[in-house]
Amino acid sequence: MALTVRSSPQRIWVVDDDPEQRRLLGTYLTDQGYDVRCLSTGEQLMVRLESQRPDLVVLDLMLPGEDGLTLLRRLRDGGDDLPVVMLTAKGDGVDRIIGLEQGADDYLGKPFLPRELTARIEAVLRRRVSLPAGAPLAEGQVVEFGDLRLDLAARSLERGGQPQVITSGEFSLLAAFVQHPHRPLSRERLIELARGPESGTDSRSMDVQVSRVRKLVEPDPSRPRYLQTVWGYGYVFVPDGQPRTR
């Protein structure tokens, strides 16, 4: 008799103080095959994280007590790269940009279709286990530049021999850069490589992500050597850190 091995469902935690929203999202995501836990406050999230760990958190911005941005900042400042999809008020671009600056892997404005949230979750989880489509990679490849060491197979970054906390979104963007050295990439092309053509990411959000990655890899992010700006177009990865002739 053949033995069928079933993988455990991926664990999603939904943190939202709206009971109806929690019920709807919990039911929908469970129906999609996820192991779902619903929490109503950031305090519940932080307490549960002391003993358990999900594969991804869907985190509402507006929460009683500490809001979603504060909680996200606590996670990132503590070196936690837990994938987070932030839920924000529809059309509130400022909050979305701040969420990305604090290290959110993706964001979604309310109201939204449940299928859209599922697509965002799946995209973030894919980035945790594989490189973007269209970016071939030899297994075990390591890219070194300056005092940095990016292991594309292990999805890890070291700086001066010290491990760095890097989120899935930051890793995917940096991987896109290092696989296209000296090749100017438009913002639209970076979005396609790092997040997928159907991600809905806009150019301003990509600029924020580039800014975050610069903070990880640049000796002086205000004067980038490796991720240089191509004015009026996008960005280019320069492994040797030499000034690019325009």
Side-chain angles (χ1 to χ4, degrees):
M1 182 176 65
L3 177 64
T4 300
V5 179
R6 299 183 183 276
S7 59
S8 300
Q10 291 172 303
R11 298 176 299 278
I12 306 294
W13 292 0
V14 175
V15 187
D16 196 311
D17 65 329
D18 184 332
E20 182 64 12
Q21 180 93 328
R22 289 198 307 273
R23 185 188 67 80
L24 291 173
L25 292 181
T27 299
Y28 182 81
L29 292 174
T30 299
D31 289 344
Q32 301 305 304
Y34 294 109
D35 178 1
V36 183
R37 296 291 180 272
C38 292
L39 311 172
S40 59
T41 68
E43 181 181 2
Q44 292 177 0
L45 171 65
M46 302 308 290
V47 169
R48 188 176 287 261
L49 282 174
E50 293 177 359
S51 58
Q52 302 175 48
R53 188 164 183 87
D55 294 294
L56 181 143
V57 170
V58 176
L59 181 62
D60 188 38
L61 174 65
M62 301 302 295
L63 292 171
E66 289 186 307
D67 63 20
L69 289 176
T70 302
L71 292 165
L72 180 60
R73 189 181 304 116
R74 284 181 60 187
L75 290 172
R76 298 302 185 239
D77 288 349
D80 195 324
D81 64 350
L82 176 67
V84 173
V85 174
M86 180 76 74
L87 302 182
T88 68
K90 186 174 179 62
D92 196 339
V94 173
D95 283 337
R96 298 185 189 189
I97 295 303
I98 294 175
L100 289 174
E101 289 176 340
Q102 296 299 331
D105 292 89
D106 208 339
Y107 59 84
L108 192 58
K110 295 180 177 180
F112 54 84
L113 296 174
R115 285 183 60 186
E116 186 176 4
L117 176 60
T118 303
R120 299 298 178 97
I121 289 173
E122 290 175 351
V124 171
L125 292 175
R126 278 198 303 270
R127 293 201 298 265
R128 299 288 291 185
V129 298
S130 63
L131 288 174
L137 172 66
E139 184 177 356
Q141 183 175 345
V142 173
V143 179
E144 296 184 349
F145 56 101
D147 63 347
L148 295 138
R149 185 178 189 274
L150 182 68
D151 189 325
L152 293 166
R155 303 179 65 85
S156 63
L157 175 68
E158 293 182 359
R159 186 171 188 171
Q162 298 299 313
Q164 303 296 301
V165 175
I166 184 167
T167 68
S168 61
E170 293 162 354
F171 174 86
S172 295
L173 180 56
L174 185 55
F177 273 121
V178 302
Q179 291 177 91
H180 299 83
H182 301 292
R183 185 185 307 176
L185 299 171
S186 68
R187 292 172 176 82
E188 292 73 19
R189 180 59 174 155
L190 282 170
I191 291 169
E192 180 180 347
L193 289 170
R195 304 181 74 85
E198 306 300 326
S199 69
T201 303
D202 56 33
S203 296
R204 172 62 178 135
S205 298
M206 180 51 63
D207 289 339
V208 173
Q209 290 282 21
V210 171
S211 176
R212 282 191 60 83
V213 174
R214 279 175 169 168
K215 292 177 181 178
L216 286 173
V217 304
E218 298 287 356
D220 180 0
S222 67
R223 302 177 64 184
R225 296 172 51 190
Y226 303 116
L227 304 184
Q228 298 182 21
T229 299
V230 182
W231 296 106
Y233 186 73
Y235 303 93
V236 61
F237 171 57
V238 183
D240 57 12
Q242 295 300 311
R244 178 177 177 272
T245 56
R246 294 191 178 96

